[in-house]
Amino acid sequence: MHENRETSEMSEVSEPHNRPAGEGDSRTSRTHVSEESDSGVLPMNRSNKDGKPSAESEEGRTLIKENTHQPSTSSTQSEIRVSQGLAGVRKAAREGKEMKFTALLHHVTVGLLRESFYALKRRAAPGVDGVTWQGYETGLEDRLVDLHGRVHRGAYQARPSRRVYIPKPDGRQRPLGVAALEDKVVQQAVVTILNEIYEEDFRGFSYGFRPGRSQHQALDALSVGISRKKVNWVLDCDIKGFFDNLSHEWLLKFVQHRVADRRILRLIQKWLKAGVVEEGRWKNTEMGAPQGSVVSPLLANIYLHSVVSG
């Protein structure tokens, strides 16, 4: 677990500096292309990709606000800049549906890492590092500055997830991957950034693992749809072992439809390839994304959206 310089199978490309927040390339222009889960909440886009109202707005229902677990301290200047920068990303994603974002990592600031830390569940089980939320909060600012530096100079290394099992109603066991504390923080920061892009892309009838959405709203939408339209049948289906069998190759291809920042892509690669520790032994992960990690739900939604949308 010694700190090593970043290595990747992906070739290096030059990164533009000091670019506007949402600047990127279209798909036709490839100049720069080259035990518990934790989650945060961002404002939800209430329209689908066609600009039509989503199921919630059609029903006239008020969206449920979830607790973001943010600190009670006032926002710092850096946090204000982060907010403005991410608003630029969302605006660019909304206006350019074919845009590839080539410069995103600069949005991972100390301020965003701080917000990401406070968005995590404070009683979540520790990962292989044994570090708890309370333990990491001691000396937090120095820790975040160090983490920020490692992320930006390519020295950050993802740790393997700690594999645990929880019982399922049918008697089987569901594997969960408990990530190390710093991995959760960086994943939450990256998810916060990517949500600004993908919340403009995802369909209005998609509810799973979406910020500001819940299974209760999905049931409400289903109830309204059944009562207002003539429905002869309902399809209930499940994808067997979905998280365990995600193709890393295809997942990265799907992400690259929108994300061309090689540093963000390498972070995702690191999390997918970090492996798991079970009963003290490390195991390689050739496929799948660990259930219970911060980034896996978003990656799963990107995968499903890309497959369904063609």
Side-chain angles (χ1 to χ4, degrees):
M1 304 308 298
H2 294 291
E3 179 181 293
N4 296 314
R5 297 297 295 175
E6 180 177 83
T7 58
S8 172
E9 297 176 355
M10 308 183 71
S11 59
E12 291 289 337
V13 294
S14 59
E15 295 285 355
H17 297 285
N18 300 321
R19 302 180 61 180
E23 187 173 346
D25 298 313
S26 69
R27 292 188 186 179
T28 56
S29 175
R30 304 301 292 272
T31 305
H32 302 293
V33 174
S34 358
E35 268 129 26
E36 284 191 52
S37 62
D38 296 274
S39 64
V41 178
L42 287 173
M44 190 193 76
N45 173 33
R46 302 193 184 189
S47 300
N48 61 23
K49 64 181 293 184
D50 300 319
K52 299 178 181 178
S54 64
E56 294 93 330
S57 58
E58 286 181 351
E59 297 157 22
R61 297 179 181 272
T62 303
L63 294 176
I64 301 172
K65 293 183 179 179
E66 299 181 7
N67 182 9
T68 59
H69 304 290
Q70 295 297 330
S72 57
T73 56
S74 59
S75 297
T76 64
Q77 215 170 19
S78 63
E79 288 168 343
I80 294 174
R81 287 198 295 270
V82 166
S83 178
Q84 292 173 342
L86 292 182
V89 172
R90 174 157 251 176
K91 182 175 183 292
R94 183 185 306 118
E95 295 175 350
K97 293 299 183 180
E98 303 296 313
M99 177 179 289
K100 285 178 177 283
F101 290 82
T102 60
L104 292 172
L105 190 70
H106 67 277
H107 292 293
V108 178
T109 63
V110 173
L112 180 56
L113 291 174
R114 185 187 306 111
E115 291 180 355
S116 300
F117 171 75
Y118 281 106
L120 301 177
K121 292 182 178 179
R122 305 186 181 193
R123 296 186 179 181
V128 295
D129 57 349
V131 178
T132 63
W133 188 94
Q134 291 78 9
Y136 199 83
E137 191 182 27
T138 303
L140 178 63
E141 290 306 310
D142 289 339
R143 293 178 186 270
L144 294 180
V145 169
D146 175 68
L147 177 60
H148 174 266
R150 281 184 279 130
V151 168
H152 281 268
R153 68 176 183 267
Y156 160 80
Q157 293 295 319
R159 292 175 180 251
S161 298
R162 182 171 64 86
R163 174 66 57 82
V164 296
Y165 293 89
I166 59 173
K168 299 177 68 173
D170 59 6
R172 294 180 298 167
Q173 290 187 316
R174 183 189 305 278
L176 292 182
V178 182
L181 198 285
E182 283 195 338
D183 292 332
K184 292 180 183 179
V185 173
V186 181
Q187 287 181 19
Q188 181 62 60
V190 171
V191 167
T192 299
I193 296 167
L194 295 184
N195 269 336
E196 295 300 316
I197 300 171
Y198 288 104
E199 281 301 302
E200 292 297 328
D201 292 352
F202 291 157
R203 302 297 184 89
F205 52 74
S206 168
Y207 289 86
F209 306 117
R210 297 277 300 279
R213 296 190 173 205
S214 70
Q215 66 271 34
H216 303 294
Q217 292 170 327
L219 290 173
D220 286 348
L222 179 61
S223 175
V224 171
I226 291 175
S227 62
R228 291 186 180 180
K229 296 183 178 181
K230 183 179 180 181
V231 176
N232 295 321
W233 52 271
V234 174
L235 174 64
D236 181 11
C237 61
D238 185 26
I239 302 176
K240 183 178 180 181
F242 174 63
F243 279 91
D244 298 331
N245 295 289
L246 284 174
S247 165
H248 291 176
E249 179 183 1
W250 279 105
L251 176 56
L252 288 169
K253 287 181 179 180
F254 294 149
V255 173
Q256 289 176 67
H257 288 168
R258 278 297 229 169
V259 178
D261 188 327
R262 295 299 181 108
R263 298 170 299 175
I264 294 290
L265 295 172
R266 280 194 291 271
L267 285 175
I268 294 174
Q269 276 187 318
K270 287 181 177 182
W271 295 325
L272 293 175
K273 299 296 185 183
V276 298
V277 171
E278 185 173 355
E279 297 181 349
R281 300 182 62 181
W282 179 82
K283 295 182 179 180
N284 190 21
T285 48
E286 295 293 338
M287 62 175 59
Q291 295 186 62
S293 77
V294 176
V295 73
S296 292
L298 175 60
L299 295 179
N301 273 346
I302 294 172
Y303 199 103
L304 286 173
H305 174 80
S306 302
V307 170
V308 172
S309 301

